[in-house]
Amino acid sequence: MTFEQTWKVGALAEAAGLTVRTLHHWDQLGLLSPSRRTPAGHREYSEADVVRLYQVLALRRLGLGLESITTCLDVGVDPVRLVREHVAGVERSIAELTALRSRLTHVHGELLQQRSPGIDALLDVLQSMNSAGPADLEALRRHLDDDQIAALRERAASVGPATHYLLEVEWPELYRRAEALRTAGAAPTAPEVRRLVKRMDELSALFSGGDTALSGAVRAAWQAEPAALSGHPEAPADEWRDLSTYLDEARRKDHS
């Protein structure tokens, strides 16, 4: 017979470099709650709780807020996948910037020698500056004008390092979760559906800055190209429209 190790709040706080107050706060939020009890009834953290604590701290180091971390863990987003996708995005950016640096260095060298870099070299620089991004960004470009794209970029920059996760992991995951509930027959009025809609609308407001025209354009892009924006190549437009209607119904019920 094996016995699982458990930790009292003070011991776990010390081991993790946190305060007891922090762990109590996370318990109240439902982010991390001790799941075991001693024979005397005192609550203790289990090994599974310590694993969740590690995930919370890892996600927080990426710049995510507590609410985003809670959503990430509760909807079943794999933190390993999150970091893997983040690394892939960074590597894409490095490759694009490396190509741009190489072309700029060439142009700079030509100018130092008082030679014209040539139109081909300048076109190469322009191509590197406007290289195609991920499928979701390209889809947005087909539905938003340059000013709206610039506004989204500015809002994303203000959000900081959590942007990648919020846009490329959490947002699509929220839609996938909502679709799973819809196909399972959950009513739009169900609390779990309303929670998903509330979080979707919070993200929309975060990146649109309250600009209804901008948020409307993004929603139109989702309706037209759900496969690109959801990260699901197989996502049929008809099913997306059904999901959009389902979510709008949840919003109406929530505001009635």
Side-chain angles (χ1 to χ4, degrees):
M1 182 175 180
T2 59
F3 294 92
E4 182 182 20
Q5 184 176 359
T6 59
W7 291 262
K8 291 184 170 63
V9 64
L12 186 59
E14 183 178 359
L18 300 169
T19 65
V20 170
R21 182 178 179 180
T22 294
L23 289 181
H24 282 319
H25 179 56
W26 289 359
D27 184 9
Q28 291 170 354
L29 293 177
L31 176 61
L32 178 71
S33 299
S35 57
R36 297 289 297 272
R37 288 189 179 273
T38 67
H42 299 296
R43 300 183 71 186
E44 291 184 333
Y45 292 87
S46 67
E47 293 177 2
D49 297 332
V50 175
V51 171
R52 184 174 174 97
L53 173 60
Y54 168 78
Q55 294 173 335
V56 169
L57 294 176
L59 292 170
R60 196 169 70 157
R61 289 180 68 88
L62 291 176
L64 303 185
L66 294 182
E67 186 170 4
S68 293
I69 293 172
T70 302
T71 302
C72 171
L73 297 179
D74 288 350
V75 301
V77 176
D78 182 2
V80 174
R81 168 192 163 195
L82 163 62
V83 176
R84 182 176 64 245
E85 293 188 4
H86 199 174
V87 169
V90 170
E91 289 177 344
R92 284 195 301 269
S93 297
I94 290 173
E96 292 168 1
L97 289 172
T98 299
L100 177 58
R101 181 181 64 181
S102 175
R103 288 170 171 80
L104 286 172
T105 300
H106 171 72
V107 170
H108 183 247
E110 294 293 290
L111 292 173
L112 285 177
Q113 298 298 320
Q114 297 185 339
R115 295 194 297 262
S116 171
I119 190 64
D120 289 341
L122 293 177
L123 288 175
D124 283 344
V125 170
L126 291 174
Q127 183 178 16
S128 295
M129 292 171 63
N130 295 285
S131 58
D136 54 352
L137 179 56
E138 290 305 298
L140 286 176
R141 283 176 174 157
R142 288 191 284 271
H143 298 274
L144 278 64
D145 60 33
D146 291 343
D147 289 341
Q148 289 174 321
I149 290 292
L152 280 180
R153 288 185 183 279
E154 289 177 7
R155 294 295 301 173
S158 70
V159 172
T163 296
H164 170 85
Y165 165 75
L166 294 175
L167 289 181
E168 298 187 29
V169 179
E170 182 181 356
W171 209 332
E173 183 67 26
L174 290 170
Y175 280 105
R176 286 194 287 267
R177 191 75 170 188
E179 175 63 5
L181 288 169
R182 184 187 72 84
T183 55
T189 54
E192 57 269 33
V193 178
R194 290 187 176 186
R195 281 196 296 270
L196 289 173
V197 168
K198 181 176 182 289
R199 183 58 180 160
M200 290 174 190
D201 292 345
E202 287 173 350
L203 291 178
S204 177
L206 180 66
F207 286 99
S208 67
D211 184 335
T212 55
L214 179 55
S215 59
V218 172
R219 186 174 296 183
W222 270 92
Q223 290 174 330
E225 303 190 50
L229 288 166
S230 68
H232 261 291
E234 307 85 7
D238 287 344
E239 287 187 11
W240 165 252
R241 281 189 284 271
D242 291 341
L243 175 58
S244 180
T245 301
Y246 178 75
L247 296 175
D248 286 341
E249 179 68 14
R251 288 185 178 94
R252 285 193 294 272
K253 296 293 184 182
D254 203 34
H255 294 295
S256 60

